[in-house]
Each structure stands twice: as structure tokens, then as C-alpha cells.
């Protein structure tokens, strides 16, 4: 009888699989701005990007995860930043601003208004500078140009 | 998605056995193999469970309409594509040229070519294999071979002025059970295409609802920030018997359904494959699990396959009536879709009398009905307006493992929207550590219930918290916005708890 009661107690307390969350000691928290939204990402120090793409210097570009989980979706900064300048800025103003920042290269993109792609020296620099540029309030948005994990359906 | 015809799966051709000397000389599949175009009950299917496009071809085959396949490449010289292919309209994101054909060294990218075949394979007789719109102009962007945030947005807008339909059988990785937001730059690209595409009529963006659904799946299309976005049309998949494919994701965002089939061993989608011993149909599958001619495959499937069928039908509609805007195309497709799987308890009529189902949207596409409606269409939609409510912050503790849950109501008045086209629900419960516990349901003033999230599991037990997540809802099409809207939140699993912190509504309509 005692055994039966114990079994009933156990079964009534258990309503699903145990959620064992793993400790991820080799992931460190970072963030980036997706438009106006601040998103957390986790640097996976041991990972090397295997994401498909031309011209990616894999070993020099860090791999981030979208969650604190080494199996979460991965993303790697390409070393470029996508900057959306304020709508009222003229092309001359934008080009002057870009010149002052001493980027390696820049190009105007063919979507939205006043959207540019600029190149810096490395993926990590792209993340850090994008954050600084956005936080300065000078531009509408500044995000690293990510190489991301997607799939065919 | 490919149906795993060979043991390697994933569409990679195995090369262990010698390839047939001249695979292209083998008899190709024919129209009678394309049950999704004309279902006569072949392959144990149900006669009539197809997209009803055969009667349309006497009048419209897509002439003069451009569809872009955004994917992993497209074989421009394929015998069934070459006559419809536009080089100037295509783009290769690896080589920065106009040729999206995969190099022969890339043996495993065949998906885009097969997708393109479903839309645009050229007809040359009354019985040969063809696409849904066999005379459409087809272009390819091989975005997935060099996927970056900037390229992603570019692929949504490149050549937009002449792109009628953008077909997208790709997206976030499936079956993670987590919220996967779309990039802000991608949204900017979509908005650009909606406003400037096809001479201002707007590019029609067709998007795969996702393959992480079904009994063993973790996903709902509402967790995918792209399929969930107002500017796209999310497409679910059905079998040759007209019921949900085992992998197809349900969601309140799903607009429409089309055949995606199941697997090679039962029935999938017959279409073209990259020529020769590359792509899906390799030497070990040809003539055994797949068709003998390696320039074709019968093993394509997924919402990847359903999506280009809708793209093809949209092209036929636009040929029939070039004045249609992107919203008109969506409206007609919803109003003419067929109520498949009619005895399913998941069907309901919304407040505007439209039948709707979380697995099928407004039903399976009916090409004949859609094109007929397009021809006589005069009720072009008035300019779209938006109405946003203020944020409601109920801060209600969600009882753990409790079927009653909590709810909050927002009263909408003076919105000016009598016909909803899309609803966006922004929801936060940031302190709940296991977001997948929550079942979230929106109920409209008309009484239509839309399930936005269901209790599920997250991959590796790591969920993404609801922090201003935007659910897209298609189901309230043509209902009025004014009245009381209620959001119910239930935690239907034990262990983790949290708070229904806030929500708001944004309506798009006229």
C-alpha cells in the first residue's frame, strides 16, 4: 500500500520530461542592434565558422550563437556594417561622415533609403563599431552584416 | 526539403555506382506523373486533390510575367528552363554575375532548380512535364550560396521594378521550437519590394511556412519571423489526399496551402533536377528510388514544393489581370481557396464568412477559381491603413501547469478598418524561462480564435523568451477591427513560471 501511495505521489508530481539545462562555460555574452532592437548573442570561442559563403576568412571571424547554447543558431560577422542614415541626410553629408570614419570601403545598397554597407578590418571590429555607431545616435541603425544559418525547406 | 530518396538524404547525390552514360536520353517523367497538377488518383491519391490548373492553360501560361526563385542556384541551361530563363533578371551572389547556375564542383545544390521547375518548366507538348506557369519568365538568385544579411535584403529588392513574384522556399532552421526573428534589413527589403515592385503594384512574396510541424515537430510557423511577416504569404503543404503533410507547420499566419506531398516511398513532387549526376537524383537513386532520367526527380517535397505552386498561380493571375496589386493577389487567393480535408475539426468560419484552418490557412489553392476571379476583378483594395493600440500591461502571473490561464482584453474603437488584412500581436513574458510552455490564443470581436503558440519543447531545452515577439495573424481577414480583442495565455506544462507582462495590436487593412 505504501508503495502504491508513493507511486501515486511520484506520478502526480511528474508532468513532463526533466529539463536539464547545460552549463555553457565557453560562451560569453555580447549584443548587437537589429534595427532598434538590442539582441543578445553568445560568442562560441572554440567554434570555427563553417557557414557557406565566398571569401569568408573563416578562422579570423568569430562564431556567435543566438542563445547560451553551443548548438543554437550560429552567425558570423563578415567584417561589414550595414548603416541606415537618417532620411533627412543628403548623400554629401553621408559620404562626408563615412570619410571621417576611415572605413576600408563603402557602397550604397539598393533597398530602403540611405542604406550603406561599409567594410572594417575584422568581424569582431564590425560588431563593436556597429554598436558604437548606433549608440552614438547619429544614425537610424547600424548592424553587423552577418553570415547566418538558414536552410531550404 | 528533399524526400530522402537515397541513403545520404538531404539531396546529395551518391556516387558509389557508375552513372548512366547518357542519363538525359532516358525517358523523362510526364504530366501524368505530376499528381499535384492533375490528380487522377495515381499513386493512391484522391482524384481531384490538385491545384486545378489544367483548365487555366488554354488561356494563361504566365507569358510576360517574371518570377524570381531565391534559393541555392538555378540551372539556367536546363532543357526545361532555358526557354523561359532571363539572364538579365538573374543574379549570382558568389560570382557577382548574371548566371545563377551552380558550378559542377557544387554537387549538392539542386533545390533551386527543382523549385524553378515546379513554377516554370517549359511545356512542349500536351503531355510532357511542365511547371504551373509553363511560359512564365523565370529568374534565379542564388542567395543561399552566399547568405549574408545585406545579400538577404538585396535579394528581396533586386530588379524589383520588374519582379511580379518572389518565390522563397527557405528560411530559419526548422524544428528548433524557438522564436527566430527576421532581420530588420530583410524587413526593409520586403517593404521596398511591396512599395516599388512591378511598377508600384508590389512584388508578391511567397514564403514556405516551414517543415518543423506535425506530430514529432516542435515548430509552429508563427515562431518564424519571416513566414510570420505581414508582407509575405506563408504556404503550408498537403498530400495527394488533401490532408496536411506530416511535416507541414501550422500557424495563425498560414495563408494558403498547396501540394508538398510526403516522401519518395509514397508520393512526393515530380519536377526537374540539375542535369546529369549532380543535384538530387544521383547514380545510386536513378532508376531505383528515383526516376531513371537524372535530369528529373520525383523526390522533391516540403513546403519548399508547395511555395512555388502558389508562385506559379500568382503569375497566372497577374498575366490574367496585370492591374492586380500584391494585396489583391493575396485577397483573391484567400477568397477562392478550396476547403480541403473538409471533415477536419480544425475548420471554422471567421467573422467575414471565410473558412480558415491553422494547418491550411484559407485552404488549398484553386488556380482556375483564382484566375477566373482575377479576370473579372474590379474591387481593387483601397490603400492600406494601419491602426495600433496602446500597450496593455496586465502583469498577470501565469499559473503553472493550469488549463485556465489568464487573459486580457483590449477594446478597439475608431480604427477606421472595416476589413482586416493582417493582424500583428506584440507579446511579452520575458521572465518566463521556458517560453514553449505557453499556449497563446487571440480571440476577435467576431469570435474567431487564432492560436498563436502551442505548448511544445525547445531544442536542447533552451527557449527564447517572449520579449516583444510579433505574431502575424492571417485568420481575421475581412473582419472589422473595432471591438474587444482578448489574448489568453496558459502555461500547460510544469516547472517554469512567468508573467503575462504586456501586449498590443497592430491592424493592417482598409
Amino acid at each position: 500500500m505504501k508503495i502504491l501511495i508513493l507511486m501515486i505521489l511520484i506520478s502526480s508530481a511528474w508532468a513532463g520530461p526533466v529539463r536539464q539545462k547545460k552549463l555553457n562555460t565557453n560562451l560569453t555574452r555580447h549584443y548587437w542592434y537589429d534595427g532598434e532592437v538590442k539582441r543578445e548573442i553568445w560568442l562560441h570561442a572554440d567554434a570555427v565558422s563553417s557557414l557557406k559563403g565566398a571569401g569568408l576568412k573563416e578562422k579570423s571571424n568569430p562564431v556567435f550563437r543566438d542563445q547560451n547554447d553551443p548548438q543554437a543558431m550560429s552567425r558570423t560577422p563578415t567584417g561589414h556594417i550595414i548603416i541606415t542614415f537618417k532620411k533627412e541626410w543628403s548623400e554629401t553629408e553621408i559620404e562626408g561622415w563615412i570619410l571621417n570614419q576611415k572605413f576600408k570601403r563603402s557602397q550604397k545598397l539598393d533597398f530602403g533609403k540611405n542604406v550603406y554597407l561599409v567594410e572594417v578590418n575584422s568581424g569582431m571590429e564590425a560588431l563593436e563599431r556597429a554598436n558604437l555607431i548606433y549608440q552614438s545616435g547619429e544614425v537610424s541603425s547600424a548592424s553587423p552584416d552577418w553570415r547566418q544559418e538558414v536552410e531550404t525547406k | 526539403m528533399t524526400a530522402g530518396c537515397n541513403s545520404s538524404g538531404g539531396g546529395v547525390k551518391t556516387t558509389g555506382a557508375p552513372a548512366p552514360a547518357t542519363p538525359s536520353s532516358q525517358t523523362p517523367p510526364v504530366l501524368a506523373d505530376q499528381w499535384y497538377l492533375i490528380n487522377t488518383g495515381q499513386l493512391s491519391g484522391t482524384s481531384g486533390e490538385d491545384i486545378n490548373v489544367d483548365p487555366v492553360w488554354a488561356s494563361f501560361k504566365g507569358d510576360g510575367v517574371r518570377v524570381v526563385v531565391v534559393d541555392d542556384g538555378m540551372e539556367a541551361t536546363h532543357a526545361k528552363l532555358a526557354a523561359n530563363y532571363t539572364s538579365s533578371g538573374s543574379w549570382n551572389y558568389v560570382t557577382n554575375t548574371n548566371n545563377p547556375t551552380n558550378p559542377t564542383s557544387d554537387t549538392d545544390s539542386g533545390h533551386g532548380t527543382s523549385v524553378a521547375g515546379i513554377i516554370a518548366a517549359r511545356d512542349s507538348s500536351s503531355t510532357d512535364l511542365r511547371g504551373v506557369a509553363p511560359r512564365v519568365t523565370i529568374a534565379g538568385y542564388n542567395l543561399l550560396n552566399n547568405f549574408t544579411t545585406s545579400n538577404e535584403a538585396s535579394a528581396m529588392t533586386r530588379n524589383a521594378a520588374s519582379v511580379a513574384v518572389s518565390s522563397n522556399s527557405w528560411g530559419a532552421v526548422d524544428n528548433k521550437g524557438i522564436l527566430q526573428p527576421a532581420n530588420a534589413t530583410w524587413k526593409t527589403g520586403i517593404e521596398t519590394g511591396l512599395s516599388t515592385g512591378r511598377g508600384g503594384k508590389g512584388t508578391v512574396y511567397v514564403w514556405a511556412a516551414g517543415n518543423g510541424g506535425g506530430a514529432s515537430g516542435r515548430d509552429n510557423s508563427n515562431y518564424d519571423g519571416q513566414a510570420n511577416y505581414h508582407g509575405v504569404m506563408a504556404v503550408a503543404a498537403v498530400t495527394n489526399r488533401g490532408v496536411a503533410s506530416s511535416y507541414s507547420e501550422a500557424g495563425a499566419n498560414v495563408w494558403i496551402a498547396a501540394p508538398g506531398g510526403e516522401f519518395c516511398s509514397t508520393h512526393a513532387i515530380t519536377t526537374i533536377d540539375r542535369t546529369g549526376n549532380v543535384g538530387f537524383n544521383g547514380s545510386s537513386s536513378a532508376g531505383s528510388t528515383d526516376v531513371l532520367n537524372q535530369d528529373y526527380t520525383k523526390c522533391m517535397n516540403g513546403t519548399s514544393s508547395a511555395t512555388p505552386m502558389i508562385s506559379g498561380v500568382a503569375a497566372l493571375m497577374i498575366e490574367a489581370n496585370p492591374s492586380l496589386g500584391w494585396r489583391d493577389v493575396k485577397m483573391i487567393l484567400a477568397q477562392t481557396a478550396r476547403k480541403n480535408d473538409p471533415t477536419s475539426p480544425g475548420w471554422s468560419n471567421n467573422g467575414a464568412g471565410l473558412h480558415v484552418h491553422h494547418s491550411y490557412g484559407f485552404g488549398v489553392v484553386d488556380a482556375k477559381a483564382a484566375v477566373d476571379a482575377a479576370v473579372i476583378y474590379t474591387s481593387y483594395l483601397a490603400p492600406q491603413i494601419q491602426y495600433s493600440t496602446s500597450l496593455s500591461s496586465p502583469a498577470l502571473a501565469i499559473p503553472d501547469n493550469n488549463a485556465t490561464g489568464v487573459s486580457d482584453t483590449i477594446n478597439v474603437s475608431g480604427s477606421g478598418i472595416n476589413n482586416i488584412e493582417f493582424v500583428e500581436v506584440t507579446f511579452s513574458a520575458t521572465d518566463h524561462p521556458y517560453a514553449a510552455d505557453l499556449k497563446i490564443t487571440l480571440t476577435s470581436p467576431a469570435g474567431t480564435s487564432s492560436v498563436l503558440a502551442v505548448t511544445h519543447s525547445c531544442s536542447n531545452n533552451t527557449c527564447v523568451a517572449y520579449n516583444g515577439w510579433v505574431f502575424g495573424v492571417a485568420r481575421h481577414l475581412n473582419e472589422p477591427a473595432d471591438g474587444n480583442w482578448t489574448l489568453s495565455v496558459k502555461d500547460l506544462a510544469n516547472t517554469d513560471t512567468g508573467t503575462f507582462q504586456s501586449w498590443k495590436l497592430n491592424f493592417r487593412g482598409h
Side-chain angles (χ1 to χ4, degrees), chain B residues 389-416:
Chain B
T389 69
S390 54
L391 190 72
S392 177
S393 302
L396 296 166
I398 308 164
D400 194 36
N401 202 15
N402 178 294
T404 304
V406 292
S407 64
D408 187 50
T409 297
I410 291 178
N411 178 262
V412 177
S413 63
S415 69

Side-chain angles (χ1 to χ4, degrees), chain A residues 22-40:
Chain A
K22 294 175 183 171
L23 292 172
N24 300 305
T25 52
N26 63 344
L27 299 185
T28 54
R29 192 197 323 239
H30 291 254
Y31 63 90
W32 66 289
Y33 291 95
D34 183 17
E36 297 174 349
V37 179
K38 187 176 183 178
R39 297 199 189 285
E40 274 186 355

